[in-house]
Amino acid sequence: MPKPFYLTTPIYYVNDRPHIGHTYTTVLADVIARFHRMRGEQVYFLTGTDEHGQKVEKAAAARGITPKELANEVVANYTELWKRMGMTHFRFIRTTDEDHKAQVQRLFKRLLDKGDIYKSTYKGLYSVSDEAYVTELQAKELQAQGLAHQLVELEEETYFFRLSAYQDRLLKYYEEHPEFVQPEFRFNEVKRFVESGLQDLSISRTSITWGIPVPGDEKHVIYVWFDALLNYLTGCPGDSWPPDLQIVGKDILRFHAVYWPAFLMAAGMFLPTTILAHGWWLMGEDKMSKSRGNVVRPDTLLRFGNDALRFYFMREMQVGHDRGFSFEGFMDRLNADLANGLGNLASRTLSMIHRYRGGVVPLPIAMDPLDRAMAEQLLEVFPEYLEQARANDFHAALEVLWAYLRALDGYIVKAEPWKLAKDPANDPKLDAVLANLYRALRATALLVASVMPELAQTLWASLGHDTQVAETTFHGFALDGPAIGPVGDPKPLFQRIDKEKEMEELMAPEPVAVAKPSLDVPELRETVDADTFFKVDLRVGKILEAERVPKSDKLIRMKVDIGLEQRTIVGGIGKAYEPADLLNRLVVVVANLAPRKLMGIESHGMLLAASDNASKPYLVAPQADAQPGFLVK
Ligand code: ME8
């Protein structure tokens, strides 16, 4: 019995909600996990969150909550997103999990006893944003990038990991394991870094409290990266070590390809088989990041469906390279490949099988050279797709498959089945064409099931299967096997996107990024007496849930705690706010406003918001320590 395929993503910091960068990494892992299951392997896929460290401690302090409370809030965004997207991880690990804390302390102690960890003093520069000490050389790089303000001078007592002792062993290991880091050009960067010399690594801090204490010396907490990397160990089920594939962004390759294997060597453990470093999704020339205000959230794209986003990620990004994101490119790709491309081919094929053969897939008794060429091409495309996907290159795999789908379009044009159908003498030729198209679609459903689970299942079912495509394995699959049953009605696989309409909405920037609003100050309204004013019941509310009202780009349905009770309130703020941005916000509610129906939903109350000339809402927010139910007067 081969060992289960163990696959990991980085664990994400809890200082931000997930954006499409984090989503991309997790989708890539999920696609690979599903692919390996269809190869008949048992797969463990681990993801989670990295919750300790100074940044979280500070962000929580600024909001007057504990770091754990802050972490819980952000973690929910991740777990809910992954659930909504149907990710197939077996565990969502948090570095605040008890078993993880125990694991980190145990390993720290073991390496301390062994002499690989020792106590000394660190003096030098520290990057607050990276939570890492930096060498002179790295400091110069940061200065060149204008990031020097993130550096501080530090002198502190610290525990060191004897990284320098592992330089030669690492280089030897790299030499003997050419598959250890992919892609190769990144592996070369890693080798050069290690060849340039490794210094011992400080792995504890006394300046922070939010972390795992050093066992027996509790004024030290364990450095976030030592803590974080060990999640892969904590989360590994008994029979699965070492990881077969660890997916990371290129930003954190050094930690995974240098520090992490050195820790494992020190612990006397096997090293992961492959660290796969992918590139970045860029906006223009820049990395997507909250501080640059150029972040695209998955919510914005998931309106087009989970599979659409997964397909776009896999089709567009060549693993290892950077890729510019654009809404237009996103929609063009989906329209071309899913609405046209595959969608079109499937609906044409199914309607022809219905129209000409009553839904029963014919057997190809006689094939002419063109039919045979198409059938043979499938025999090549299928294993080629599997090979590329096995090498984690879904970009290339999908390219090969879609080139074949385009060739099939040409095949239909040449064969002209609508003409063949007019004369029974052409029956054998028409049978061959229909059978070839059917087989190609059936193979496609199987191949794309790990990339687009729902779409593949719809296609699989409409081809007459009553099984789950995801439970079918590639091995031994008969590409020329007979059809299982009659085909179903052609259902559109993917709804064409109205690009112009969508562009208007999508291009509306996130609230943080909008230009300063202009305002012609409106005239003062008529005077009211105090009694009239106090009739209005204004109180503090807290938004507990928020979701878009289907078919409306403006309305958001919220559940708001107003102290007395929880209310459903529908607000026209959807163009200015994402539902996820509204969660846990304190707002001011007009609580005694007569209820009214908005798109069939009864809204009981209203949120106070300021408004500019363009009627863009700006929610009024009470001070952070106000409580739901407080009267506003
Ligand atoms: O680094 N394009 O967490 P993190 C593609 N906690 N992928 C991107 C991306 C982008 N623009 N931005 C982020 C950490 N990512 C540590 C990891 S692991 C033991 C600890 C993805 O929240 C990419 O996978 O900053 C990157 O490596 C990861 O998010 C960083 O997530």
Side-chain angles (χ1 to χ4, degrees):
M1 185 76 185
K3 107 173 176 54
F5 188 84
Y6 178 41
L7 158 81
T8 66
T9 71
I11 47 171
Y12 305 109
Y13 286 132
V14 291
N15 57 0
D16 192 11
R17 298 182 283 122
H19 62 58
I20 62 163
H22 310 113
T23 313
Y24 168 72
T25 310
T26 313
V27 164
L28 177 61
D30 187 64
V31 169
I32 294 173
R34 286 172 188 263
F35 178 77
H36 279 266
R37 287 190 196 105
M38 291 181 72
R39 296 180 78 232
E41 292 166 79
Q42 188 181 1
V43 176
Y44 288 115
F45 154 27
L46 181 73
T47 189
T49 39
D50 184 357
E51 305 185 11
H52 293 126
Q54 197 165 21
K55 273 190 274 187
V56 178
E57 189 173 316
K58 278 193 178 156
R63 283 193 36 201
I65 56 177
T66 65
K68 185 65 190 280
E69 280 169 339
L70 177 69
N72 288 347
E73 242 179 71
V74 180
V75 165
N77 290 311
Y78 276 96
T79 50
E80 277 162 27
L81 179 66
W82 300 158
K83 189 164 163 215
R84 176 171 165 207
M85 294 187 71
M87 298 298 183
T88 56
H89 51 285
F90 79 105
R91 172 170 175 184
F92 185 96
I93 190 168
R94 303 181 53 176
T95 51
T96 49
D97 288 344
E98 290 306 323
D99 62 342
H100 177 68
K101 292 196 253 177
Q103 165 77 44
V104 171
Q105 291 189 323
R106 208 161 43 232
L107 200 89
F108 191 99
K109 179 92 177 26
R110 200 157 114 208
L111 301 193
L112 187 67
D113 293 346
K114 205 175 153 243
D116 272 313
I117 291 178
Y118 63 100
K119 193 151 120 176
S120 181
T121 306
Y122 175 88
K123 190 164 181 280
L125 292 168
Y126 180 77
S127 159
V128 178
S129 61
D130 294 334
E131 306 210 18
Y133 292 112
V134 292
T135 60
E136 290 293 326
L137 191 70
Q138 289 165 334
K140 284 206 182 101
E141 281 170 19
L142 289 172
Q143 263 151 6
Q145 294 166 28
L147 298 174
H149 59 281
Q150 295 170 352
L151 298 178
V152 291
E153 284 270 5
L154 217 65
E155 178 169 356
E156 63 177 351
E157 179 191 274
T158 181
Y159 285 89
F160 282 94
F161 172 74
R162 214 177 283 284
L163 185 63
S164 58
Y166 288 89
Q167 178 167 346
D168 293 341
R169 284 178 62 185
L170 282 170
L171 289 172
K172 180 158 181 283
Y173 190 87
Y174 297 157
E175 214 45 55
E176 288 166 358
H177 296 84
E179 77 296 343
F180 182 59
V181 175
Q182 283 174 358
E184 199 182 330
F185 73 97
R186 294 260 174 250
F187 201 4
N188 292 334
E189 288 170 12
V190 169
K191 288 177 191 165
R192 278 197 296 276
F193 173 74
V194 176
E195 281 160 4
S196 75
L198 294 178
Q199 293 168 9
D200 287 353
L201 183 70
S202 153
I203 53 164
S204 78
R205 301 282 181 275
T206 47
S207 50
I208 313 173
T209 51
W210 178 235
I212 303 174
V214 167
D217 193 358
E218 313 243 316
K219 74 174 192 291
H220 287 265
V221 303
I222 296 173
Y223 173 45
V224 277
W225 273 101
F226 187 85
D227 161 1
L229 286 163
L230 295 193
N231 91 83
Y232 305 128
L233 209 54
T234 313
C236 180
D239 53 351
S240 307
W241 194 262
D244 294 271
L245 184 65
Q246 302 208 267
I247 301 175
V248 299
K250 65 177 186 182
D251 46 330
I252 55 173
L253 177 59
R254 193 173 289 176
F255 296 95
H256 284 81
V258 182
Y259 302 170
W260 171 228
F263 296 159
L264 289 172
M265 283 175 173
M269 298 190 68
F270 285 120
L271 269 45
T273 308
T274 297
I275 313 279
L276 175 66
H278 67 69
W280 283 341
W281 285 99
L282 302 175
M283 292 301 274
E285 304 276 290
D286 293 329
K287 188 188 177 198
M288 201 173 290
S289 77
K290 193 163 82 167
S291 52
R292 291 195 177 97
N294 63 357
V295 168
V296 181
R297 303 288 176 189
D299 271 351
T300 323
L301 304 177
L302 283 173
R303 304 193 277 139
F304 304 103
N306 191 17
D307 284 352
L309 182 56
R310 293 170 68 101
F311 179 76
Y312 172 77
F313 278 155
M314 294 303 107
R315 179 68 185 78
E316 289 286 323
M317 178 74 102
Q318 228 176 317
V319 174
H321 298 268
D322 291 343
R323 178 88 189 150
F325 174 84
S326 85
F327 290 113
E328 278 201 283
F330 176 75
M331 289 186 275
D332 285 343
R333 172 59 72 194
L334 299 176
N335 278 340
D337 285 5
L338 297 185
N340 299 339
L342 177 59
N344 209 2
L345 185 69
S347 75
R348 281 170 96 183
T349 303
L350 291 174
S351 353
M352 287 195 290
I353 296 175
H354 271 286
R355 197 172 321 137
Y356 307 138
R357 294 293 180 261
V360 178
V361 185
L363 280 175
I365 305 297
M367 290 210 191
D368 70 17
L370 179 61
D371 304 322
R372 198 162 303 120
M374 294 315 294
E376 278 165 7
Q377 213 176 322
L378 179 63
L379 298 182
E380 287 164 19
V381 165
F382 192 81
E384 191 171 343
Y385 183 103
L386 295 182
E387 195 182 313
Q388 299 286 11
R390 178 68 187 90
N392 309 314
D393 192 347
F394 286 86
H395 169 81
L398 292 168
E399 200 159 68
V400 167
L401 181 57
W402 254 257
Y404 182 55
L405 299 182
R406 274 194 302 279
L408 290 170
D409 280 334
Y411 173 53
I412 298 178
V413 171
K414 266 203 206 119
E416 299 185 303
W418 48 92
K419 282 196 186 155
L420 297 175
K422 287 187 181 142
D423 182 353
N426 296 324
D427 272 1
K429 168 71 183 170
L430 185 57
D431 284 351
V433 174
L434 295 179
N436 264 340
L437 294 173
Y438 173 87
R439 289 171 179 180
L441 287 173
R442 180 174 59 183
T444 301
L446 195 66
L447 291 177
V448 302
S450 48
V451 179
M452 297 183 281
E454 290 160 42
L455 184 143
Q457 182 57 33
T458 307
L459 179 58
W460 186 250
S462 69
L463 294 171
H465 299 95
D466 56 6
T467 52
Q468 291 295 312
V469 64
E471 287 165 15
T472 314
T473 50
F474 303 121
H475 181 73
F477 183 78
L479 289 170
D480 57 358
I484 297 290
V487 300
D489 286 330
K491 271 193 229 140
L493 282 184
F494 187 81
Q495 204 66 46
R496 202 183 162 74
I497 302 174
D498 180 344
K499 195 169 133 190
E500 268 175 30
K501 178 175 153 275
E502 298 295 341
M503 274 314 274
E504 275 178 30
E505 279 210 19
L506 285 170
M507 291 316 284
E510 280 210 63
V512 282
V514 289
K516 233 182 167 185
S518 69
L519 183 67
D520 298 327
V521 179
E523 301 244 328
L524 207 58
R525 292 180 181 168
E526 69 177 289
T527 306
V528 293
D529 58 28
D531 284 347
T532 311
F533 173 74
F534 285 121
K535 279 186 188 156
V536 183
D537 187 308
L538 296 174
R539 51 182 78 217
V540 173
K542 184 172 184 182
I543 303 178
L544 303 179
E545 293 172 17
E547 59 179 18
R548 291 194 176 273
V549 173
K551 301 205 184 74
S552 166
D553 56 359
K554 227 177 127 191
L555 294 183
I556 292 189
R557 173 225 281 263
M558 289 159 283
K559 184 175 275 175
V560 183
D561 176 5
I562 59 161
L564 303 165
E565 60 190 25
Q566 294 181 2
R567 290 277 185 87
T568 298
I569 298 181
V570 179
I573 54 176
K575 285 194 172 166
Y577 295 91
E578 283 297 330
D581 289 327
L582 294 168
L583 291 183
N584 298 317
R585 264 192 201 240
L586 290 180
V587 286
V588 178
V589 178
V590 186
N592 62 344
L593 194 68
R596 60 178 183 142
K597 277 206 165 171
L598 289 163
M599 289 192 75
I601 304 167
E602 183 155 277
S603 175
H604 199 178
M606 194 178 93
L607 305 190
L608 282 195
S611 161
D612 62 14
N613 289 148
S615 298
K616 176 176 163 355
Y618 297 77
L619 283 174
V620 173
Q623 198 175 303
D625 51 352
Q627 298 282 330
F630 281 9
L631 268 181
V632 179
K633 48 189 185 186

